[in-house]
Amino acid sequence: MKLSGGRSFLFRIKEGEEVVEYLTRFLERNDVRVGTITAIGTLRNPAIAYFERGMGDYRIVTIDGDYEVVSLTGNVSMKEGKPFAHLHVALGDRNGRLYGGHLVRGETLVMEVFVQELSGGYLERKPRMNGLSLWDAED
Amino acid sequence: MKLSGGRSFLFRIKEGEEVVEYLTRFLERNDVRVGTITAIGTLRNPAIAYFERGMGDYRIVTIDGDYEVVSLTGNVSMKEGKPFAHLHVALGDRNGRLYGGHLVRGETLVMEVFVQELSGGYLERKPRMNGLSLWDAED
Amino acid sequence: MKLSGGRSFLFRIKEGEEVVEYLTRFLERNDVRVGTITAIGTLRNPAIAYFERGMGDYRIVTIDGDYEVVSLTGNVSMKEGKPFAHLHVALGDRNGRLYGGHLVRGETLVMEVFVQELSGGYLERKPRMNGLSLWDAED
């Protein structure tokens, strides 16, 4: 889908927020319907997921402790009439080892977020046979 | 090189495509000559590479199975008269361990891609003595 | 903070530069005060850090050798009257294993950088009780 640039947001989430809920509320409050998200920071007790195709569902791994958010990369589109953030994350431990996957949840210590709104189109997730909610594919 | 924003594209690649070939065709079809690419998704049997300076060539590592694309980060410029995507990738396994490097190839299961075109300049890769194709350096 | 797009820069840093110093000088020279940074490339002998909340300071890990910069993700804001780049990095070794955290320093072999300036607002880091320099948090 061809789009053009909309509003840009650069901000810090305060300590103690659940990051996925916070970002979803941010998108709703600002009426961001399509866009991209990147962030860096630190998360406590994050949960990440890996999609098991055989099961048609996510396998969730919770890793205790504080982790550097080396990258948080994602996009925004509509799902069931509301803005939905699909987010993947790479997390570093105190020895610099990395873990990551689909971001399920995590508590913010510091999170510096960039949201780039895109305008000129409507992008919606719809449930599929394989257990995922996906956009229509590009030809 | 100083540029300004061009078209934005946010789209899903359908299952079963070789991701680097698909993206290259996408850039050619849409005449995107300079820009950036980010993506998240899942890839099957990806191959990644590490540039060995001593050899002046890439060492390729293929990792079998399905991996979460935790981040795909890259840029678009011209090489031998055609749009060329230089892409790096971080990949997560079912236990949340990460692997990554220069993306050589991989089969899409799901891939959600953001391409940001940049306009106002021409950026070209040229072969260098060290075995890489690079832009002229800044300054 | 709500902003809008400014200038875009896509460029290569030449070999042998200390990457954090180079980027800081680039921002000063071009008067980029707020924005985002992404990059891919290769770094030699990078140093990464993990913020230890108990100590209120960074624990620094230096990893010798050449590493693929799988992702470099960060932002630009003002600190003590000058542009400041906050950068996180994921680094791949020759076997595709990843390491990462807050980027402290590293010598460029190849570094392809995208800087997106944002305009319409002023974002400043201020020292906090916890040892970090942070923006005011979003409500």
Side-chain angles (χ1 to χ4, degrees):
Chain A
M1 179 169 290
K2 197 188 300 180
L3 301 154
S4 54
R7 295 167 292 169
S8 302
F9 302 87
L10 186 61
F11 60 96
R12 176 166 73 91
I13 303 177
K14 69 176 188 292
E15 191 174 337
E17 298 283 342
E18 197 292 295
V19 62
V20 179
E21 279 181 14
Y22 185 96
L23 286 172
T24 303
R25 288 200 312 270
F26 179 90
L27 298 171
E28 289 186 17
R29 193 166 69 234
N30 290 284
D31 196 28
V32 177
R33 291 156 177 258
V34 186
T36 62
I37 299 183
T38 57
I40 57 175
T42 313
L43 281 181
R44 176 162 288 168
N45 302 339
I48 52 179
Y50 174 91
F51 190 74
E52 295 273 14
R53 287 175 74 80
M55 295 162 51
D57 204 355
Y58 284 102
R59 165 188 163 89
I60 294 179
V61 178
T62 301
I63 49 175
D64 288 339
D66 297 351
Y67 290 83
E68 296 285 331
V69 176
V70 166
S71 69
L72 182 154
T73 307
N75 57 55
V76 180
S77 58
M78 299 299 282
K79 185 178 173 183
E80 296 167 9
K82 292 183 178 180
F84 177 83
H86 182 200
L87 306 169
H88 282 200
V89 72
L91 300 160
D93 74 10
R94 67 193 303 277
N95 296 310
R97 280 183 297 242
L98 294 190
Y99 307 87
H102 176 95
L103 179 61
V104 176
R105 65 175 172 273
E107 182 189 329
T108 56
L109 295 173
V110 176
M111 189 63 56
E112 297 175 356
V113 182
F114 175 58
V115 174
Q116 178 61 54
E117 183 187 37
L118 297 169
S119 59
Y122 186 85
L123 204 51
E124 188 177 10
R125 292 184 183 278
K126 297 169 196 164
R128 308 280 164 169
M129 291 293 286
N130 61 7
L132 292 167
S133 284
L134 299 174
W135 310 327
D136 291 332
E138 183 86 5
D139 290 329
Chain B
M1 177 170 290
K2 195 187 300 179
L3 301 154
S4 53
R7 294 166 292 169
S8 302
F9 302 88
L10 187 59
F11 60 96
R12 175 166 73 92
I13 303 177
K14 70 176 187 291
E15 191 173 337
E17 298 283 341
E18 197 292 296
V19 63
V20 179
E21 278 180 16
Y22 185 96
L23 287 171
T24 303
R25 288 200 313 270
F26 179 90
L27 299 171
E28 289 185 18
R29 194 166 69 234
N30 289 284
D31 197 29
V32 176
R33 291 155 177 258
V34 186
T36 62
I37 299 183
T38 57
I40 56 175
T42 313
L43 280 181
R44 176 163 288 168
N45 303 340
I48 52 179
Y50 173 92
F51 189 75
E52 296 273 12
R53 287 175 75 79
M55 296 162 52
D57 204 355
Y58 284 102
R59 166 188 161 89
I60 295 179
V61 178
T62 301
I63 49 176
D64 288 339
D66 298 351
Y67 291 84
E68 296 284 333
V69 176
V70 166
S71 69
L72 182 155
T73 307
N75 57 56
V76 180
S77 58
M78 299 299 283
K79 186 178 174 184
E80 296 167 8
K82 292 183 179 177
F84 176 83
H86 182 200
L87 306 170
H88 282 200
V89 72
L91 300 160
D93 74 11
R94 66 194 304 278
N95 296 309
R97 280 183 297 242
L98 294 190
Y99 306 87
H102 176 95
L103 178 61
V104 176
R105 64 174 174 272
E107 182 189 330
T108 55
L109 295 173
V110 176
M111 189 62 58
E112 296 176 355
V113 182
F114 175 58
V115 173
Q116 178 61 53
E117 182 187 39
L118 297 169
S119 58
Y122 186 84
L123 205 51
E124 187 177 12
R125 293 185 182 277
K126 298 168 197 164
R128 308 281 164 167
M129 291 292 287
N130 60 8
L132 292 167
S133 285
L134 300 174
W135 309 328
D136 290 333
E138 184 83 8
D139 288 350
Chain C
M1 177 169 291
K2 196 186 301 179
L3 300 154
S4 54
R7 295 167 292 170
S8 302
F9 302 87
L10 186 59
F11 60 96
R12 176 166 73 92
I13 303 177
K14 69 175 186 293
E15 190 174 338
E17 298 283 341
E18 196 292 297
V19 63
V20 179
E21 278 181 15
Y22 185 96
L23 286 171
T24 303
R25 288 199 314 270
F26 179 90
L27 299 170
E28 289 186 18
R29 193 166 70 235
N30 288 284
D31 197 29
V32 177
R33 292 155 177 259
V34 186
T36 61
I37 298 183
T38 57
I40 57 176
T42 313
L43 280 181
R44 176 162 288 167
N45 302 338
I48 52 178
Y50 174 92
F51 190 74
E52 294 273 13
R53 288 175 74 79
M55 295 161 52
D57 205 354
Y58 284 101
R59 166 188 162 90
I60 295 179
V61 178
T62 301
I63 49 175
D64 288 338
D66 297 351
Y67 291 84
E68 297 285 331
V69 177
V70 165
S71 69
L72 183 155
T73 307
N75 57 55
V76 181
S77 58
M78 298 299 282
K79 186 177 174 184
E80 297 167 8
K82 291 183 179 178
F84 177 83
H86 182 200
L87 306 170
H88 281 200
V89 72
L91 299 160
D93 74 10
R94 65 194 304 278
N95 296 310
R97 280 183 296 242
L98 294 191
Y99 306 87
H102 175 94
L103 179 62
V104 175
R105 65 173 172 272
E107 183 189 330
T108 55
L109 294 174
V110 176
M111 189 61 57
E112 297 176 354
V113 182
F114 176 58
V115 173
Q116 177 61 54
E117 183 186 38
L118 298 168
S119 58
Y122 187 84
L123 204 51
E124 188 177 11
R125 293 185 181 278
K126 298 168 195 163
R128 308 281 164 166
M129 292 292 286
N130 61 7
L132 291 168
S133 285
L134 299 174
W135 310 328
D136 291 333
E138 185 86 5
D139 290 330

